Amino acid sequence: MRNLLATLALCSSALFLLQVTAAAEHQEETDIKFAFYSSSWGENTDDGLRVVAYNQTMNPIRLNTIVFHPTTDATEAVEIELNLDVPSAGYADLEIDYIDLLAGDECIDRTLQENWKLVEISNYTLNPSVRNLIIEDTDSFRIYQCVKTISTIWTDLGSNQRIQYDEWVLFHFETRRDF
């Protein structure tokens, strides 16, 4: 039984890797890591969004805009103006009004209907240890991710150079299985 579960987990990981690779085929490693959080996800509140950014460069930067590209012809791009200054090799965060980043995506819609909770949207993969989770019983706790293409636009404040990355974000979902 363990071998079967391990094989299924490996197949699932391989499929996810193929999806991420396809979505990020033109992506380079970005110098700016960021994540969106909201307590309103799954709580039906009107809380805003919190953006946390990490600047991996040697100069301060301004995270200007993040554009979420549509996944179908029926949806429109969502452009988020941040203008967040982030110090060299440092972090910065910003609270903004709530913006619906979940609508119009089949993977997100399907996942939310299956009782998953969105915990983070980020441009890096999320390991449970990052969220200080110790998962001893993997049969009762699951993680799932959806991928969406974005453009990240930022300015190097040392050289005043504007940079745009076309990359992806992962919608990180968690659930505990009901017994």
Side-chain angles (χ1 to χ4, degrees):
M1 183 65 164
R2 283 188 178 199
N3 288 341
L4 177 60
L5 291 175
T7 302
L8 289 173
L10 184 59
C11 289
S12 176
S13 296
L15 179 60
F16 173 72
L17 182 59
L18 287 173
Q19 290 173 333
V20 169
T21 302
E25 63 187 17
H26 55 279
Q27 176 179 333
E28 300 173 22
E29 178 65 24
T30 182
D31 292 324
I32 310 303
K33 301 290 186 189
F34 63 84
F36 288 90
Y37 305 93
S38 180
S39 59
S40 67
W41 294 330
E43 304 298 327
N44 294 325
T45 65
D46 61 356
D47 294 343
L49 289 174
R50 180 173 182 232
V51 182
V52 178
Y54 176 60
N55 175 5
Q56 300 181 106
T57 72
M58 300 308 291
N59 289 325
I61 63 106
R62 175 169 296 127
L63 180 54
N64 301 321
T65 308
I66 298 173
V67 180
F68 286 74
H69 297 288
T71 55
T72 67
D73 291 339
T75 58
E76 295 184 18
V78 176
E79 185 171 319
I80 304 172
E81 293 288 332
L82 297 171
N83 297 316
L84 176 63
D85 289 351
V86 188
S88 169
Y91 291 89
D93 68 322
L94 177 68
E95 297 276 339
I96 61 175
D97 289 337
Y98 185 79
I99 299 168
D100 186 5
L101 301 175
L102 311 180
D105 185 279
E106 186 272 332
C107 179
I108 295 168
D109 291 343
R110 178 177 26 88
T111 305
L112 289 173
Q113 290 172 4
E114 294 178 5
N115 202 27
W116 291 85
K117 179 182 177 188
L118 180 62
V119 293
E120 176 178 306
I121 301 170
S122 66
N123 68 341
Y124 54 85
T125 56
L126 182 63
N127 184 314
S129 64
V130 172
R131 294 180 38 80
N132 296 321
L133 298 174
I134 299 172
I135 303 171
E136 295 177 4
D137 182 0
T138 57
D139 287 335
S140 69
F141 187 89
R142 299 179 297 160
I143 297 172
Y144 188 77
Q145 298 169 322
C146 292
V147 179
K148 195 163 194 172
T149 303
I150 64 162
S151 295
T152 304
I153 303 151
W154 54 280
T155 302
D156 180 322
L157 296 176
S159 66
N160 228 15
Q161 179 184 9
R162 183 182 153 138
I163 298 147
Q164 177 173 330
Y165 279 100
D166 292 327
E167 58 182 336
W168 46 263
V169 289
L170 296 169
F171 289 71
H172 304 277
F173 297 91
E174 297 175 357
T175 189
R176 292 193 183 274
R177 190 175 298 170
D178 294 330
F179 291 100

